[in-house]
Amino acid sequence: MKDFLKNFLIVFCALLIIAGVLSFFKSDPAKEPEIIGVAKMAEEINAGAVKKITVEGDLLKVDLKDAAAKAQEVKKEPTESFGDIMKNYGVTDEARKALEVEVKNESSWKFWAANIIPALLPLIIIIVFFYFMSRGVQGMNNKAMGFGQSNPRQAGPNEKDQKTFANVAGATEAKVELEEVVEFLKTPKKFADMGAKIPKGVLLMGAPGTGKTLLAKAVAGEAGVPFFHMSGSEFVEMFVGVGASRVRDLFGKAKKAAPAIVFIDEIDAVGRRRGAGLGGGHDEREQTLNQILVEMDGFEPNIGVIVIAATNRPDVLDPALLRPGRFDRRVVLDLPDIKDREEILAIHAAGKPLAEEVSIRKIAERTPGFSGADLENLLNEAAILTVRRGMKKVGEEEILESIEKVLLGPERKSRVITEKEKKMTAYHEAGHAIVGHLLPNCDPVRKVSIISRGQAGGYTLKMPTEDKHYHTLADFKDELAMALGGYAAEIMIFGAEAISTGPSNDLLNATKMARDMVTRYGMSKLGPRTFGAHEELIFLGREIHEQQDYSDNTAEAIDKEVSAIIGGALKKAEDTLKDNQDKLEKMVARLMEKETIEQDEIREIMS
């Protein structure tokens, strides 16, 4: 109905414009015929002034003998003949004999138009109205019946922005697994001759931003076969049974196009563990998951259809979904190491004019723990910052500042703080920096600043020189001492009564680290065992239950051991600061003056 009204308004406006334009082209009034009455025509005929009368239906055209006179027209009744008019208005026989009369037959289309259209027009309008109404209702019915259709998006190697494995840096093992799947689709006979079966499913697991969806796009570009992709959330609707219906429809389309690949992004939206006690057996997600299980490896197994799924929560997936025969392969995508980060940065740096002093290797060293998405965002932020500063090339300063922005948030230079708070922040951050610089198992301190970023009033930036995969007891002890360095500095300088809320986040992280050392890593006097078995009850994606597999006496011992570890770390931080109080004062003075000091200045102060 909306389309009908829209079209009607368009046509109406077009006709209105045409009528307005035509109104400027009026005919000459001097050439238009004069409209007269029947009586005047009769008088002119009796007076002998009329040369010829032309009869066309109910219209009489009068031509006068005077060539200079205007032509005339007379409108008569349709049922009255011209002869009757002459008699009724007293035209003499002599005048009629001298008059030339021509009768023209009226065209049939004019007759029918004049007689039938007035009767048919209302009927036509009513028919058109009901036609558009029925189309609208039919469209609603089609939408109602289309709830069970999957409508997957189909990608292929001919898409303009299609990715390939050449566009994916790092993730070497993952690419090998997926290249094998692509090769299987391209040359199935080579594997069939060896008796190998095509894998039914590949599950991509990894932290957010590690490139799971990017790898799926690369498979679509490399495979050369139909590639259907949907998100897990697209299966679930407000109506029960729609998800299962869409799964059937999706796999039905893939079977017709086989060999084909089906990619389900964020499969944990529908693949969560069943029997969690929430929703029951009629839960829409459970029905959808059951249908996925049947389609992948049920009574009628798929032939030539490979399912690739991605999730960053493999721990919540149902065990039946993960067994061999459904997802035969699980590809883990870890955060990139320094070599992978260098390759990823090189790809994202293409098209960005970098200054000569910029070293991709140095950026990779300064970004441990960054995912591929973080690195892309880092270079994008650096490019934006370069444009804002009116520069032509992305410099090292812009990149290093963007690293801090990605880690901590934007600078808040406009934040107004008192001189006392500024000095307290300087002592706090200097305490972190000095303890971290002097303890051998802490990562090198790269930068100290008392400029607020994000939620932090100031920050001490430390970065490892190489990627670490294991942490020792000595590492944890020194890290704890550095985390409490700011707290120790505030107590040492301002006294216990002046301790502020600034170290709250440090205390939170230190407590968690110490508790993990006791309960998870066996790094305490309680011995080499863990305490507390986490059982995940799936509710809003959170862990809401922890089974306590130890007694209350052990719980008390755990608390004492955590307190002892934190106390020992605090004492180490205090002793370090007392032995180097002159350097603490020197660093605070430099921070109060410059607000930010880099690694070279830190080394100068500590030397």
Side-chain angles (χ1 to χ4, degrees):
M1 198 61 189
K2 286 183 180 180
D3 293 337
F4 170 71
L5 292 174
K6 180 181 177 182
N7 295 333
F8 175 78
L9 287 174
I10 292 173
V11 173
F12 178 77
C13 292
L15 292 175
L16 196 63
I17 293 171
I18 293 171
V21 172
L22 293 178
S23 65
F24 290 101
F25 302 96
K26 294 182 179 178
S27 58
D28 189 359
K31 296 181 180 180
E32 291 183 359
E34 181 186 358
I35 307 299
I36 62 174
V38 178
K40 184 176 180 181
M41 181 188 67
E43 291 177 2
E44 291 175 345
I45 292 174
N46 284 330
V50 179
K51 177 183 177 182
K52 180 180 178 182
I53 296 289
T54 303
V55 181
E56 292 184 5
D58 56 353
L59 183 66
L60 303 177
K61 294 182 179 181
V62 181
D63 292 332
L64 300 177
K65 292 179 179 179
D66 185 0
K70 291 176 64 175
Q72 297 176 341
E73 287 186 355
V74 179
K75 197 79 171 173
K76 70 179 185 65
E77 295 181 15
T79 58
E80 192 175 14
S81 67
F82 178 69
D84 294 336
I85 291 174
M86 296 295 99
K87 290 179 182 179
N88 294 337
Y89 282 87
V91 178
T92 61
D93 294 338
E94 291 79 7
R96 284 196 298 179
K97 290 177 181 179
L99 181 66
E100 181 183 351
V101 179
E102 180 183 359
V103 179
K104 290 185 176 181
N105 292 327
E106 188 178 13
S107 61
S108 59
W109 73 268
K110 288 184 178 180
F111 173 78
W112 288 108
N115 291 278
I116 295 178
I117 287 180
L120 288 180
L121 188 59
L123 183 61
I124 291 173
I125 292 174
I126 292 172
I127 292 173
V128 171
F129 174 76
F130 278 104
Y131 169 73
F132 281 102
M133 288 291 291
S134 64
R135 281 190 62 185
V137 173
Q138 185 178 2
M140 293 176 66
N141 289 335
N142 289 337
K143 289 180 181 179
M145 297 301 294
F147 270 116
Q149 296 180 358
S150 58
N151 297 323
R153 292 168 297 282
Q154 187 169 351
N158 297 324
E159 287 194 2
K160 184 170 61 176
D161 59 343
Q162 185 59 60
K163 306 293 184 183
T164 62
F165 287 134
N167 302 116
V168 182
T172 306
E173 293 80 7
K175 285 194 290 187
V176 169
E177 292 283 340
L178 294 174
E179 283 173 353
E180 197 172 287
V181 171
V182 171
E183 187 179 358
F184 206 120
L185 290 169
K186 287 182 175 179
T187 56
K189 187 176 184 301
K190 181 170 63 174
F191 292 88
D193 292 343
M194 193 60 62
K197 295 182 180 179
I198 186 169
K200 295 183 179 179
V202 179
L203 183 64
L204 305 177
M205 306 182 298
T210 49
K212 299 183 292 296
T213 305
L214 181 63
L215 271 172
K217 289 182 180 179
V219 171
E222 296 279 352
V225 298
F227 186 92
F228 301 92
H229 57 105
M230 285 184 69
S231 170
S233 60
E234 294 182 55
F235 290 108
V236 181
E237 283 281 356
M238 62 181 293
F239 300 105
V240 176
V242 170
S245 177
R246 288 183 176 177
V247 171
R248 287 191 293 270
D249 183 69
L250 172 63
F251 278 88
K253 291 176 180 177
K255 288 176 185 177
K256 291 179 182 177
I261 295 175
V262 173
F263 175 59
I264 304 176
D265 201 4
E266 305 295 346
I267 194 173
D268 52 278
V270 292
R272 289 176 177 269
R273 187 188 305 267
R274 294 169 293 177
L278 301 172
H282 64 281
D283 182 43
E284 173 65 6
R285 285 184 178 83
E286 289 201 7
Q287 292 195 26
T288 306
L289 172 59
N290 291 338
Q291 190 62 45
I292 292 175
L293 298 177
V294 170
E295 291 290 345
M296 289 190 71
D297 187 25
F299 197 74
E300 296 179 359
N302 289 310
I303 299 176
V305 176
I306 296 178
V307 181
I308 300 177
T311 180
N312 51 29
R313 293 296 309 275
D315 53 314
V316 304
L317 295 180
D318 193 88
L321 195 63
L322 301 176
R323 74 161 175 80
R326 289 190 175 124
F327 283 107
D328 302 283
R329 300 188 178 187
R330 303 179 200 175
V331 179
V332 179
L333 297 174
D334 292 321
L335 292 172
D337 58 20
I338 187 169
K339 180 176 176 294
D340 292 341
R341 289 198 300 273
E342 193 173 357
E343 294 177 2
I344 294 169
L345 285 166
I347 287 178
H348 293 306
K352 293 182 176 65
L354 300 181
E356 294 179 359
E357 74 272 9
V358 174
S359 168
I360 296 294
R361 177 72 181 185
K362 187 175 180 181
I363 302 172
E365 291 175 356
R366 295 289 290 265
T367 52
F370 276 48
S371 66
D374 291 331
L375 295 172
E376 181 183 10
N377 185 37
L378 161 65
L379 291 181
N380 185 59
E381 289 288 348
I384 292 172
L385 187 59
T386 303
V387 173
R388 286 172 56 190
R389 292 179 175 176
M391 301 168 63
K392 298 297 183 184
K393 291 187 176 182
V394 181
E396 185 177 3
E397 183 181 348
E398 285 71 35
I399 292 176
L400 295 179
E401 188 169 336
S402 298
I403 292 175
E404 297 170 25
K405 185 176 181 180
V406 172
L407 283 173
L408 303 169
E411 282 188 351
R412 299 167 62 190
K413 289 186 176 181
S414 61
R415 182 182 182 185
V416 179
I417 60 173
T418 64
E419 192 69 17
K420 181 182 177 181
E421 288 180 340
K422 185 176 181 181
K423 193 171 185 179
M424 188 176 289
T425 303
Y427 274 105
H428 181 98
E429 299 303 333
H432 285 306
I434 289 175
V435 175
H437 181 85
L438 294 173
L439 294 183
N441 297 298
C442 288
D443 296 328
V445 179
R446 308 277 185 168
K447 186 176 184 178
V448 183
S449 176
I450 58 173
I451 298 174
S452 176
R453 274 189 181 273
Q455 299 296 321
Y459 58 95
T460 301
L461 189 64
K462 61 184 181 70
M463 292 287 179
T465 54
E466 58 186 10
D467 292 328
K468 289 184 178 180
H469 301 287
Y470 298 100
H471 295 274
T472 64
L473 177 59
D475 292 338
F476 280 121
K477 285 184 175 181
D478 286 359
E479 287 291 332
L480 272 174
M482 181 182 177
L484 297 171
Y487 180 82
E490 288 191 29
I491 292 180
M492 187 175 74
I493 301 300
F494 300 103
E497 295 294 328
I499 190 68
S500 68
T501 58
S504 59
N505 192 58
D506 296 332
L507 298 177
L508 179 67
N509 293 333
T511 304
K512 184 180 184 304
M513 190 187 302
R515 191 165 192 85
D516 286 342
M517 290 170 64
V518 176
T519 61
R520 295 179 60 188
Y521 308 135
M523 297 178 178
S524 70
K525 295 178 181 178
L526 298 181
R529 60 159 292 187
T530 61
F531 300 91
H534 293 279
E535 288 187 357
E536 184 156 17
L537 180 62
I538 304 164
F539 181 72
L540 301 179
R542 293 181 179 271
E543 192 176 80
I544 62 173
H545 179 68
E546 180 186 58
Q547 181 182 355
Q548 184 172 322
D549 57 356
Y550 49 85
S551 67
D552 292 340
N553 291 335
T554 305
E556 185 177 353
I558 290 173
D559 291 337
K560 288 181 180 178
E561 192 64 21
V562 169
S563 299
I565 291 174
I566 294 176
L570 180 60
K571 188 175 186 309
K572 181 185 285 190
E574 289 173 344
D575 293 342
T576 304
L577 292 174
K578 285 177 182 177
D579 294 340
N580 297 273
Q581 189 166 357
D582 56 334
K583 296 174 182 176
L584 175 67
E585 297 293 345
K586 191 174 181 181
M587 186 176 291
V588 168
R590 190 74 62 89
L591 282 171
M592 294 294 289
E593 176 190 353
K594 299 180 65 175
E595 294 188 332
T596 299
I597 54 177
E598 296 287 345
Q599 187 173 13
D600 293 339
E601 291 181 89
I602 296 171
R603 288 174 179 169
E604 177 194 338
I605 293 170
M606 298 306 296
S607 65

